[in-house]
Amino acid sequence: MTQEEFTSAAELAPEMDASEPLRHFRDRFHFPRGVDGNEAIYFVGNSLGLQPKTVRSFVEQELNDWETLGVEAHLHGKNPWLPYHEFLTAQMAEIVGAMPIETVVMNSLTVNLHLMLVSFFRPTSDAPFVMIEKGAFPSDQYAIESQMRCHGLDPSEFLIELTPREGESTLRTEDIVEKIEEYDGQIALVLLGGVNYYTGQAFEMEQIAEAGHKAGAIVGFDLAHAAGNLLLKLHDWDVDFAVWCSYKYLNAGPGGVAGAFVHERHARSFDLCRLAGWWGHDKETRFLMGPEFKPLAGAEGWQISNPPILQMAALRASLEIFHEAGMPALRAKSEKLTGYLEDLIDRIGDDRIEIITPRDPAQRGCQLSIRVRGGDRSLHERLSERGVVTDWREPDVIRVAPVPLYNSFADVLRFAEILKDCLTK
Ligand SMILES: *Cc1c(COP(=O)(O)O)cnc(C)c1O
């Protein structure tokens, strides 16, 4: 590519920002400084989302109620702590395309995955197999393998790992479906990420859920990289269960409280195996402290402990912003923003770099994973010196996630210019 082609695309950034309806949301967030001392070009919202400026007052409200009311705040606080998790349900449900009864905010992600697996991973001698993606996030791999061992199943025998075709970096939906059909009747569980953390590939969840169900399997998703990123319709897609964290795209801060989804059709499956605790008990009789566990209907019935209110307050601040912006508008901006990034990278025209994330916008979220051939960390470090915050994944991938809530087309352009510079120097 010639310099002119890069320049002509570069000129578009200001007008794209000016005509972007969500542009003002950027001002709602605190931006850290980059190594160069300027406001960072922050492209790691897929690791830790930025802090909404309203978080402090939401958390302070609960600190104040604790200070002035003590235990009474459970019932008489401005936002009573007893039902506090309920204040988050509707807005969280909106983000993942679920009904409120299908959604609960609790615990952390891997804990929720285990809770879901205890209930929904019920292998039999006829159907002992589990299907996951090769290169799944390590925590998911550890979780499922440990659960398999608890059932006496050797993962090396019963864990099927979906692998891209020779020479390809991502999975084809048709290959996933074909593999599921091949094991018809023998799969207990299909468990995939909504978006693969490494390649940025978004799986076609509706088709996968349908194929899984046809084959007699339960279908669950880890939406760590999908919640707040993709337009999700968990209920309509008929997914059995899903889990996600809130500190990545959902901006709830480090260790933020996670989410879980249980499809409505399982809402009253009270005979499912589950790990019980008092917060999942029927609200009417919870404080009678009786000996017998009576689970709540729906996702709430999987709660175990009373939740961390300060963390939930932070999440609440963020969910209000999502509610105001709306996922459809965020997704529309996201496609443009990431499309622009892709275009600029292509125009750099350096054959050492290759985008391994699918080119089809329907098969990716905002993240692009850039493979640097023969590369090592040094390119990543040079970017960092120029105030760009991205992340490096061994052996040779830089992950870049322009987030539609707070990143701009100008950020994307600045990044592309710096990348171009770093590659030529
Ligand atoms: C970020 C992430 C996790 C992290 O798990 P925690 O329980 O929140 O520490 C797990 N799985 C996937 C797919 C992730 O992207």
Side-chain angles (χ1 to χ4, degrees):
M1 293 273 170
T2 63
Q3 179 60 33
E4 293 86 275
E5 283 176 80
F6 187 89
T7 309
S8 67
E11 283 164 358
L12 301 173
E15 65 194 76
M16 287 198 284
D17 274 321
S19 63
E20 174 47 57
L22 298 180
R23 67 187 180 281
H24 298 300
F25 281 90
R26 180 182 180 88
D27 304 333
R28 310 273 191 97
F29 292 86
H30 292 293
F31 275 76
R33 305 241 147 233
V35 177
D36 64 349
N38 296 319
E39 187 175 281
I41 298 172
Y42 195 81
F43 278 172
V44 289
N46 55 348
S47 282
L48 185 76
L50 289 179
Q51 183 186 136
K53 290 177 179 169
T54 45
V55 159
R56 193 172 293 271
S57 65
F58 274 72
V59 173
E60 266 174 8
Q61 174 63 46
E62 304 318 318
L63 285 172
N64 288 342
D65 279 359
W66 181 22
E67 183 180 322
T68 57
L69 297 171
V71 71
E72 292 298 319
H74 277 103
L75 290 170
H76 304 299
K78 177 162 178 275
N79 314 298
W81 297 337
L82 203 58
Y84 199 95
H85 74 273
E86 296 172 28
F87 306 146
L88 298 113
T89 304
Q91 292 184 352
M92 191 60 111
E94 199 177 279
I95 287 174
V96 295
M99 299 161 62
I101 195 173
E102 297 172 318
T103 312
V104 67
V105 173
M106 61 180 187
N107 310 314
S108 45
L109 168 57
T110 310
V111 170
N112 286 347
L113 179 57
H114 275 296
L115 296 181
M116 293 294 111
L117 291 174
V118 161
S119 295
F120 295 105
F121 174 47
R122 310 301 301 163
T124 62
S125 52
D126 288 337
F129 288 98
V130 176
M131 199 170 278
I132 64 167
E133 72 220 83
K134 189 172 173 59
F137 194 88
S139 197
D140 300 38
Q141 184 107 15
Y142 305 152
I144 187 61
E145 291 196 3
S146 64
Q147 292 262 349
M148 291 179 79
R149 290 199 186 89
C150 289
H151 284 280
L153 295 168
D154 180 356
S156 69
E157 196 174 341
F158 295 107
L159 185 65
I160 306 162
E161 297 185 41
L162 297 159
T163 315
R165 293 184 188 189
E166 189 66 37
E168 297 185 7
S169 302
T170 54
L171 289 159
R172 299 191 193 194
T173 306
E174 71 219 63
D175 291 353
I176 300 174
V177 169
E178 194 178 297
K179 198 73 170 172
I180 292 172
E181 287 169 350
E182 189 186 316
Y183 282 84
D184 187 30
Q186 302 173 69
I187 314 172
L189 173 72
V190 176
L191 178 67
L192 294 177
V195 174
N196 181 281
Y197 79 99
Y198 190 90
T199 64
Q201 176 176 24
F203 292 109
E204 295 183 292
M205 290 179 251
E206 184 173 22
Q207 276 172 264
I208 293 168
E210 193 189 338
H213 289 154
K214 257 197 212 142
I218 286 279
V219 180
F221 288 99
D222 180 332
L223 304 176
H225 282 263
N229 181 17
L230 303 180
L231 255 191
L232 299 166
K233 297 195 165 125
L234 295 183
H235 176 84
D236 292 347
W237 296 343
D238 212 25
V239 170
D240 290 287
F241 72 84
V243 291
W244 59 96
C245 55
S246 63
Y247 49 84
K248 292 175 180 167
Y249 294 108
L250 294 180
N251 311 322
V257 193
F261 165 90
V262 177
H263 198 279
E264 190 195 12
R265 71 175 165 283
H266 303 300
R268 290 186 169 72
S269 304
F270 297 125
D271 51 352
L272 281 171
C273 174
R274 73 172 91 193
L275 299 183
W278 73 321
W279 230 250
H281 187 91
D282 177 31
K283 286 170 202 167
E284 306 302 316
T285 57
R286 184 190 289 149
F287 286 94
L288 297 180
M289 306 291 206
E292 202 176 312
F293 178 66
K294 187 177 166 214
L296 287 161
E300 278 189 299
W302 272 267
Q303 295 172 107
I304 294 183
S305 296
N306 81 93
I309 300 297
L310 301 181
Q311 283 287 1
M312 284 205 167
L315 175 56
R316 226 180 136 201
S318 176
L319 291 186
E320 293 218 329
I321 297 173
F322 271 89
H323 178 67
E324 199 183 324
M327 277 310 301
L330 283 166
R331 176 63 185 169
K333 177 179 173 188
S334 179
E335 287 188 17
K336 283 187 234 158
L337 202 59
T338 296
Y340 186 51
L341 174 63
E342 178 183 37
D343 185 39
L344 288 172
I345 292 172
D346 287 344
R347 283 169 195 256
I348 293 174
D350 188 309
D351 51 14
R352 283 170 296 171
I353 56 174
E354 174 204 0
I355 297 171
I356 61 170
T357 308
R359 295 279 174 170
D360 173 10
Q363 292 191 56
R364 68 186 186 205
C366 68
Q367 172 187 329
L368 292 183
S369 301
I370 306 168
R371 173 160 288 149
V372 188
R373 248 183 237 106
D376 51 36
R377 288 191 79 96
S378 69
L379 175 62
H380 175 254
E381 277 152 21
R382 269 175 290 153
L383 290 170
S384 166
E385 280 160 20
R386 305 277 304 269
V388 176
V389 190
T390 56
D391 94 5
W392 173 259
R393 292 283 140 158
E394 295 297 338
D396 56 1
V397 166
I398 293 177
R399 300 187 309 165
V400 188
V403 168
L405 254 182
Y406 48 72
N407 285 125
S408 61
F409 292 92
D411 285 339
V412 167
L413 172 59
R414 202 63 205 111
F415 166 77
E417 285 171 341
I418 293 171
L419 176 66
K420 190 163 171 284
D421 263 12
C422 290
L423 283 166
T424 48
K425 276 170 200 155

